[in-house]
Amino acid sequence: FMGLSTDSYVASCGTDGQWTGAITYLGYPTFFKENCLHKVYGNYPANYQIQTTACRGVQKGCGNSLAIVNEQLFYKGRGGVCVYDGSLPAEISSAFGDIHYTAVDTTDSDTLRNGAVAGSLGSKYYISMKSEVDGKWYFMVYDTAKSTWHKEDNTRIDAFCACRGDLYFIDHSDNQIKTVLGTGTEESG
């Protein structure tokens, strides 16, 4: 390191396990493992501090389930879907009852990105995840304004992207780009 503003920054964390997700939340880089989160504070290397919190982290393979809705961070943890507001994560998927979602496709060799995928639009959190009961993928929506879950269909989604008031996704079955609200239009070219 040469002491320049363009130098890289390196830090060590003394927690076990693989990194499972990362996002900037409330202005802070936040990194997850399955059993903890690490939040980086500071605005330049000399004053960086890393706060480690033992908690429900992001399930392995579910880093793409991280999404922010109304200043709250949602993600798929090992036990279910969690919401994090900066203090401690809380599980919000008790409405699923005895149905557990593995969120991981064991037939997919990409173990870092083979699980639940999520996106957000307005006050809703959209997630596609796999059921342990029947092995099917389900597309679910959590309405944060009403604190209710809705099961949409069996769409397995590879990725989400919000743009211009709509939420787009790639449907795994046909590799087509589709919209959650159905308002997207094809551009002629």
Side-chain angles (χ1 to χ4, degrees), residues 132-152:
E132 285 184 356
V133 175
D134 60 13
K136 293 181 182 175
W137 284 80
Y138 288 92
F139 181 31
M140 316 256 255
V141 182
Y142 182 71
D143 187 332
T144 62
K146 298 175 184 169
S147 298
T148 57
W149 281 99
H150 303 278
K151 188 183 294 182
E152 296 289 318

Side-chain angles (χ1 to χ4, degrees), residues 106-125:
T106 56
T107 65
D108 189 338
S109 62
D110 186 357
T111 58
L112 294 178
R113 290 176 292 278
N114 62 354
V117 176
S120 65
L121 184 65
S123 64
K124 295 182 179 173
Y125 175 70

Side-chain angles (χ1 to χ4, degrees), residues 56 74-83 90-101 125 127 129 140 142 147-149:
R56 297 176 188 132
F74 292 80
Y75 60 88
K76 173 66 177 78
R78 278 187 304 191
V81 178
C82 297
V83 61
E91 190 173 315
I92 58 165
S93 52
S94 62
F96 301 157
D98 292 336
I99 300 174
H100 295 282
Y101 292 86
Y125 175 70
I127 185 167
M129 55 188 171
M140 316 256 255
Y142 182 71
S147 298
T148 57
W149 281 99

